[in-house]
Amino acid sequence: MADLTFYTHPQSRGQTIRWMLEEVGAPYDVEVLDYGATMKAEPYLSINPLGKVPAIRHKGKVVTEVAAICCYLADAFPEANLAPPPPERADYYRWIFFTSGPVEAAFSNKAAGWEPTPERQRMFGYGNFDLAIDTFEKAIAGKDYIAADHFTAADLFVGANVNFMLAFNLLEPRPVFVDYARRTTDRPAYHRAKELDAQLIAEIQARQAQTPQPA
Ligand SMILES: N[C@@H](CCC(=O)N[C@@H](CS)C(=O)NCC(=O)O)C(=O)O
């Protein structure tokens, strides 16, 4: 048994953490939760009372939230070189937090068909959708990596989000976004992670096909 456990569903934001774990290269155990069943019951609720995946447990400590898990793993496994040295983390923190907060909120609200009124934009952390996306584009444009002279957990987290949003037509395919998504995902660990999750998805589907469905 590894001292690192990954709680996930293969069709979830857990895919980003799978990729991160494959980048880190440390052995880990996987616990797959069912939507609506094991995810919403003990013992998982003691891991994440929100009843959502992903989560990790490392050396007895639990971390939830994709962005936090990425930062945690980058620090816990420094040999993977996925975090710049602390004094050089301005862009690293800035764009990870910008993506997990304002960008995610802008997208969720947009996908739900809602946008703050002009009078309310001051109190929303992203202002409005177009402003958030234009800022996002400026953060990525003109450099190979978002936070250092090499690939870091910031590229993994931001790249995973850009890639997801492009795949689901939630983000306009501006060349900056398309190139960045392609560049960040062009890595052996990304492809390994995709394969491992695809295997789990196939297993889940095979089990479901064998389960009698109500008439
Ligand atoms: N803010 C959380 C979001 C996690 C999340 O929303 N996970 C979804 C899957 S992508 C989930 O577990 N949904 C199950 C549910 O809410 O029942 C994070 O970054 O980890």
Side-chain angles (χ1 to χ4, degrees):
M1 209 171 121
D3 64 3
L4 179 57
T5 305
F6 171 41
Y7 302 87
T8 191
H9 186 287
Q11 289 162 302
S12 77
R13 288 167 169 88
Q15 289 185 6
T16 305
I17 298 309
R18 172 75 87 171
W19 177 13
M20 186 69 196
L21 287 163
E22 290 299 314
E23 291 282 356
V24 155
Y28 60 94
D29 297 321
V30 181
E31 281 203 23
V32 178
L33 285 302
D34 301 317
Y35 278 117
T38 51
M39 214 182 280
K40 304 292 180 195
E42 292 297 349
Y44 187 65
L45 289 180
S46 294
I47 305 284
N48 187 0
L50 196 59
K52 285 178 177 278
V53 288
I56 61 160
R57 186 201 288 272
H58 180 229
K59 296 183 178 172
K61 302 271 185 219
V62 169
V63 190
T64 61
E65 295 301 313
V66 175
I69 299 170
C70 287
C71 291
Y72 176 88
L73 288 173
D75 284 347
F77 298 93
E79 59 283 1
N81 197 23
L82 290 165
E88 292 164 32
R89 289 194 183 171
D91 284 339
Y92 180 80
Y93 288 133
R94 183 179 181 189
W95 300 119
I96 289 177
F97 281 81
F98 180 73
T99 305
S100 74
V103 171
E104 160 118 13
F107 273 95
S108 306
N109 288 338
K110 174 96 170 171
W114 189 85
E115 171 91 321
T117 58
E119 310 78 64
R120 293 194 133 198
Q121 287 177 13
R122 240 188 235 185
M123 62 175 278
F124 278 80
Y126 65 93
N128 64 55
F129 183 81
D130 289 341
L131 184 59
I133 295 320
D134 289 346
T135 305
F136 203 31
E137 183 179 17
K138 284 183 184 130
I140 295 169
K143 42 191 148 147
D144 286 342
Y145 303 104
I146 201 163
D149 62 2
H150 63 276
F151 182 91
T152 66
D155 294 297
L156 189 150
F157 181 69
V158 176
N161 276 275
V162 170
N163 197 38
F164 172 83
M165 293 184 296
L166 287 172
F168 287 88
N169 294 321
L170 297 168
L171 185 61
E172 197 186 315
R174 300 181 191 175
V176 165
F177 294 134
V178 173
D179 290 350
Y180 184 71
R182 199 173 294 136
R183 206 163 53 246
T184 47
T185 56
D186 185 18
R187 298 177 63 81
Y190 173 83
H191 295 294
R192 266 200 315 277
K194 276 277 172 210
E195 233 165 76
L196 289 165
D197 277 333
Q199 275 166 25
L200 277 181
I201 292 168
E203 284 168 27
I204 290 171
Q205 286 171 347
R207 266 202 309 278
Q208 282 168 347
Q210 283 167 0
T211 310
Q213 299 298 313

